[in-house]
Amino acid sequence: MTERIAIVGGGAAGALVAIHLLYEHRERGALEIDLIDRDGSFGAGVAYGTEDPLHLLNVPAVRMGGISGHPEHFHEWLTDRGEEVAEEAFLPRGLYATYLRDLLARGEREAIDARVRRVHGDVTSIAVRAGAADPVLELNFADGERIEADRVVLALGPLQAGDPIPVPAELKKSCVWISDPWAEGALDEARHSRSVLIVGSGLSMVDVALSLGEEAEGPRVRAVSRHGLVPRRHRPGLTNVRRFHVPTETGTIEPMLAAFFAQVSRVCQQGDDWRDVIDSMRPATPQLWKALKLEEKERFLSEYQRFWDVHRFRMAPEVADRYDALVAAGRLETGAASIVSLESHGRGARVFLRTPGAHELDMVEVDRIVDCTGAGFDLRRQAPPILAGLLAAGRARADELGLGLDVAEDGALLDSEGLPSDRIFAVGAVRKGVEWEAIGITEIRDHAGAIARRIVRTGETEEMPLPTELRPFAAGPTKWQAA
Ligand SMILES: Cc1cc2nc3c(=O)[nH]c(=O)nc-3n(C[C@H](O)[C@H](O)[C@H](O)COP(=O)(O)OP(=O)(O)OC[C@H]3O[C@@H](n4cnc5c(N)ncnc54)[C@H](O)[C@@H]3O)c2cc1C
């Protein structure tokens, strides 16, 4: 019997689910996989769709492997191609899309009776219809098309919250307000303008600032966020990952913080620093997050997240060097400020900013404004159409913070009663509320592997052995696991 799997979202997460299904599947019956993406991006997505060589991965090559249980696989793949790069190298993100597409293509070539169909379309709803034996899932597209599947994996990427502030329609129409800096050509005009305001000060801001800074005669850039904090730089070399005890009994933040700082002080005596401790916490983060009481998670979001983010999501050293050079040259300035309002002015915009502690509003005139906020989302208040239907039908529920969907350990959606689905799964950003660490390749590859195993194997849960087509590896623990 042929099993039909629909993966909604063709970014890195969707591609990795397809890849794991292709390799997991080889012992079983036929499998038809529909990899569906509204942007027609199969294996790249927002993060790896960039061709700008200044846009680097923010994780060392040796930790970016896409196969569950094999973090070094990306580095090995490079070596296979004759590209000798250091394990700790931060490589262009576009190269990572080539890697993912190669894995997918190889999986398709090798799969015995499994195939992947790439479907370009926007899924707006998923309905469950009683079938002859099992229920059938019906995926409806914005253009009226419909396909059927036995199981669905949601790999939607981050949920889009819309503009962080009300933006006058004329600013959008004239492209002064750039809501999606990753859209093709979105920054073309901004590169040749005199002044650009970036809203947000995370890694996306850094990418945009570097792109705008490429032109010798490019714009002066000001980046603002409510806190004004900027991502820290990676240290040279690989961080040392060591397990250490973090108490969870009280379900509160402070004992965890105390353990963190105690460990920082221990590793500093050994010549390492806080980065090693942040990276050491990563495998345990979902467990720590789940142990926090709801009110503590909320407190983390309002009081600590801004500090966590700039230490956890760091700039590659080369990126940090370029960033510092732009600041030193007076081309880039960052700081704390919130936008109070903005209005159209000439061929640009006039923006009113409130800086902390100031009585007067600061008024600036700029040619372009780029939204790099990745604005917060509350699924309890608004949901994209594809999720609205599932939530209304009680087939899904929001996580307790509303950051995404409530899911079981294996990624199965929990329904309104908290019961796991055996048909619909999720991977990527929509799991952030439940696991906190859910959006990086480190987690996505393992979640993709677990979902593939859950779908094609009944009962077994052990990791996938590396298929021989993807090169044999020496037995034994990986560097990540061994550390
Ligand atoms: C700029 C940037 C750099 C990053 N760098 C790194 C890094 O170096 N290392 C790392 O580990 N992580 C990095 N990340 C984290 C990144 O989120 C993940 O690595 C990964 O790219 C997420 O992939 P995804 O498939 O979940 O999401 P996306 O890439 O957003 O893909 C989701 C896709 O689903 C499609 N889609 C959504 N809804 C529908 C629908 N209803 N119908 C059809 N299609 C739909 C979207 O159009 C999109 O193409 C980075 C993220 C960003 C934004």
Side-chain angles (χ1 to χ4, degrees):
M1 213 184 87
T2 300
E3 184 154 17
R4 298 162 302 176
I5 316 290
I7 303 170
V8 187
L16 285 172
V17 172
I19 289 162
H20 282 84
L21 280 170
L22 287 170
Y23 283 107
E24 285 285 353
H25 173 254
R26 35 199 54 244
E27 300 142 28
R28 302 239 324 185
L31 198 64
E32 285 181 3
I33 303 164
D34 282 331
L35 183 58
I36 307 164
D37 196 274
R38 67 155 78 98
D39 303 325
S41 150
F42 301 104
V46 173
Y48 312 115
T50 173
E51 287 177 7
D52 189 332
L54 297 179
H55 292 167
L56 302 183
L57 295 170
N58 54 39
V59 176
V62 77
R63 290 179 178 165
M64 278 297 286
I67 306 294
S68 178
H70 300 279
E72 304 99 333
H73 189 262
F74 175 53
H75 188 257
E76 294 278 350
W77 174 84
L78 289 162
T79 310
D80 254 9
R81 287 166 37 121
E83 296 181 39
E84 292 295 334
V85 294
E87 292 188 339
E88 63 270 29
F90 294 89
L91 299 172
R93 295 209 297 272
L95 180 61
Y96 198 72
T98 308
Y99 164 67
L100 291 178
R101 288 178 172 144
D102 183 51
L103 285 193
L104 187 57
R106 286 161 78 179
E108 289 177 88
R109 273 199 307 275
E110 302 294 336
I112 295 159
D113 49 5
R115 60 139 192 87
V116 178
R117 190 167 65 118
R118 290 159 179 74
V119 182
H120 189 170
D122 185 1
V123 180
T124 50
S125 68
I126 300 172
V128 183
R129 187 166 54 74
D134 291 319
V136 174
L137 300 168
E138 262 179 18
L139 286 81
N140 299 297
F141 289 75
D143 62 4
E145 285 293 316
R146 193 170 60 193
I147 61 170
E148 292 185 348
D150 300 304
R151 320 255 195 159
V152 169
V153 182
L154 301 172
L156 310 176
L159 302 174
Q160 303 301 329
D163 303 323
I165 37 150
V167 180
E170 64 265 34
L171 288 182
K172 288 190 179 180
K173 204 166 155 224
S174 58
C175 298
V176 169
W177 174 266
I178 301 168
S179 56
D180 179 6
W182 312 114
E184 206 179 329
L187 297 179
D188 287 355
E189 301 228 343
R191 278 180 218 272
H192 303 289
S193 62
R194 283 168 300 128
S195 55
V196 174
L197 179 73
I198 302 180
V199 194
S201 63
L203 284 177
S204 295
M205 174 280 287
V206 174
D207 270 359
V208 170
L210 258 55
S211 292
L212 296 176
E214 269 176 272
E215 304 281 337
E217 299 299 314
R220 273 178 59 91
V221 178
R222 177 167 176 189
V224 295
S225 67
R226 264 170 290 176
H227 49 73
L229 300 171
V230 171
R232 304 298 192 257
R233 67 160 63 213
H234 274 281
R235 73 167 174 76
L238 289 175
T239 47
N240 286 314
V241 178
R242 308 177 182 83
R243 291 214 178 98
F244 67 101
H245 177 68
V246 181
T248 55
E249 298 75 23
T250 61
T252 53
I253 296 169
E254 276 68 21
M256 296 185 186
L257 264 185
F260 171 80
F261 285 118
Q263 181 70 0
V264 170
S265 119
R266 266 192 297 274
V267 304
C268 283
Q269 286 161 18
Q270 296 161 20
D272 288 337
D273 70 17
W274 56 267
R275 296 167 181 83
D276 303 76
V277 185
I278 290 267
D279 290 2
S280 298
M281 288 183 77
R282 188 161 175 181
T285 298
Q287 191 197 331
L288 303 180
W289 181 250
K290 286 177 188 177
L292 286 176
K293 294 173 189 159
L294 174 58
E295 58 272 24
E296 289 290 291
K297 289 179 185 162
E298 288 168 339
R299 201 158 66 83
F300 179 87
L301 295 182
S302 62
E303 294 175 25
Y304 293 97
Q305 186 187 354
R306 69 195 81 160
F307 301 107
W308 173 260
D309 282 353
V310 294
H311 291 89
R312 161 71 183 81
F313 302 103
R314 303 190 290 270
M315 291 189 237
E318 302 88 323
V319 170
D321 289 344
R322 284 177 187 275
Y323 175 91
D324 289 346
L326 287 174
V327 173
R331 295 275 307 273
L332 172 64
E333 177 197 346
T334 58
S338 344
I339 298 186
V340 176
S341 64
L342 64 166
E343 61 193 30
S344 185
H345 176 69
R347 302 175 79 180
R350 195 176 260 162
V351 186
F352 295 90
L353 297 165
R354 186 181 304 286
T355 44
H359 295 297
E360 304 286 314
L361 291 184
D362 185 11
M363 191 274 284
V364 289
E365 290 176 2
V366 290
D367 297 326
R368 293 284 182 276
I369 308 167
V370 188
D371 180 12
C372 289
T373 51
F377 195 89
D378 189 342
L379 195 59
R380 296 165 299 187
R381 295 213 191 104
Q382 58 174 142
I386 185 172
L387 297 185
L390 290 172
L391 291 164
R395 297 196 185 280
R397 68 179 186 189
D399 64 63
E400 57 186 359
L401 294 159
L403 299 180
L405 293 169
D406 206 356
V407 290
E409 288 275 328
D410 62 2
L413 258 53
L414 297 184
D415 69 12
S416 53
E417 304 291 318
L419 298 172
S421 170
D422 64 350
R423 312 245 135 219
I424 311 180
F425 303 85
V427 60
V430 293
R431 289 170 63 159
K432 188 161 179 167
V434 174
E435 277 141 356
W436 193 246
E437 282 288 3
I439 63 165
I441 290 297
T442 302
E443 289 72 30
I444 288 175
R445 67 170 169 246
D446 290 343
H447 291 165
I451 290 172
R453 285 194 294 282
R454 170 74 173 71
I455 289 178
V456 300
R457 298 196 215 162
T458 35
E460 295 171 57
T461 52
E462 77 272 13
E463 292 270 309
M464 175 173 82
L466 193 71
T468 45
E469 299 74 16
L470 296 181
R471 279 171 38 90
F473 281 81
T478 63
K479 287 194 183 63
W480 178 264
Q481 291 160 335

